[in-house]
Amino acid sequence: MPRFRFTPQKHEFFELFAQASANAVEIARLLVELLDRFPDDGAVLIGRIKEREHDGDRLTHEVVTLLNKTFVTPFDRDDMYRLAGAIDDVCDHVDEAADNLGSWGVERVPQKARSQAEVILKATTKLDEAVGRLEGFRDSSDQLAALRELEDEGDQLERDAVAELFASTDDAKVIIRWKDIHERLEEAVDALENAADVLEAIVVKNR
């Protein structure tokens, strides 16, 4: 049986979430670099993204382990699981997109994909800022509003990217490869919006 901590481990939880959101920023930065430089240094950058994805898994596991050992948590236990999962999902989707880029014989990266990566980087930065305000439940409405605007931009980019893809080539392999990569990138943006929803709920509940 796990030994429960009856004293709230408040700072430890907030520090783990801060590390997780900072890791999401770094994996997004590496994605931007990968799509800008590909195929140059592709294998190296994809490997570094994979390392960051493993870091995200480790941090999520640490949050869950600490939750299972802590009787009194600094805010709603279910919200803590949801926030850890949403941040981890961002890393997972970026890693999957990068992995597909490297393994599917991609030769050219469309500009729309680079734009999607830029949106992910901007959104992870806003998420990181909001997570940094979580301790003390400080207002993060500006950061979350900006993040949601970026999610709208990401939605439009994904639709435009797929439309452009079908209009620019008849090569079924290219269409299938890039449609999937565009969708994986959009799923990363959706995970960021999910994290924003969780953060908003946490702040509202703890005012």
Side-chain angles (χ1 to χ4, degrees):
M1 290 181 62
R3 296 182 62 185
F4 286 101
R5 302 182 185 183
F6 288 88
T7 303
Q9 304 297 308
K10 290 185 177 181
H11 183 72
E12 195 170 352
F13 279 114
F14 292 121
E15 178 60 28
L16 285 172
F17 283 122
Q19 289 179 34
S21 63
N23 186 63
V25 173
E26 179 59 16
I27 203 170
R29 188 194 66 76
L30 288 167
L31 175 68
V32 169
E33 186 176 354
L34 172 65
L35 296 185
D36 280 346
R37 294 175 57 82
F38 193 84
D40 293 345
D41 297 326
V44 171
L45 290 166
I46 291 168
R48 290 172 65 189
I49 286 172
K50 179 66 69 179
E51 289 172 3
R52 288 293 179 172
E53 191 272 333
H54 290 327
D55 286 343
D57 287 343
R58 175 183 56 79
L59 288 164
T60 301
H61 179 73
E62 288 185 22
V63 170
V64 171
T65 299
L66 186 58
L67 277 168
N68 290 337
K69 292 180 178 179
T70 304
F71 185 72
V72 179
T73 58
F75 53 93
D76 185 86
R77 188 178 295 269
D78 287 342
D79 287 339
M80 299 179 86
Y81 282 117
R82 290 172 60 210
L83 181 58
I87 298 173
D88 190 46
D89 285 345
V90 176
C91 298
D92 289 344
H93 292 312
V94 169
D95 174 63
E96 187 174 355
D99 191 56
N100 290 346
L101 185 73
S103 61
W104 286 355
V106 169
E107 297 177 355
R108 184 187 67 84
V109 175
Q111 181 55 47
K112 287 289 193 300
R114 294 190 181 97
S115 297
Q116 284 182 286
E118 290 286 355
V119 166
I120 293 168
L121 178 56
K122 291 175 185 175
T124 55
T125 300
K126 291 301 175 184
L127 176 67
D128 187 47
E129 291 173 5
V131 169
R133 300 182 67 80
L134 191 56
E135 189 164 14
F137 307 111
R138 292 174 290 161
D139 180 55
S140 57
S141 56
D142 289 347
Q143 289 81 9
L144 299 181
L147 202 160
R148 289 196 173 92
E149 289 179 4
L150 288 162
E151 198 275 335
D152 290 340
E153 183 180 344
D155 281 345
Q156 187 62 54
L157 268 172
E158 193 263 343
R159 288 193 295 269
D160 291 347
V162 172
E164 183 178 285
L165 183 62
F166 280 97
S168 63
T169 183
D170 294 323
D171 189 326
K173 289 183 180 179
V174 171
I175 291 171
I176 292 169
R177 288 168 182 162
W178 273 107
K179 185 174 184 295
D180 189 274
I181 293 171
H182 287 309
E183 289 172 351
R184 295 292 81 71
L185 296 175
E186 175 55 23
E187 286 176 354
V189 179
D190 289 343
L192 283 157
E193 184 184 35
N194 184 28
D197 291 342
V198 177
L199 281 167
E200 184 175 57
I202 292 168
V203 173
V204 168
K205 289 176 185 178
N206 291 278
R207 280 177 179 165

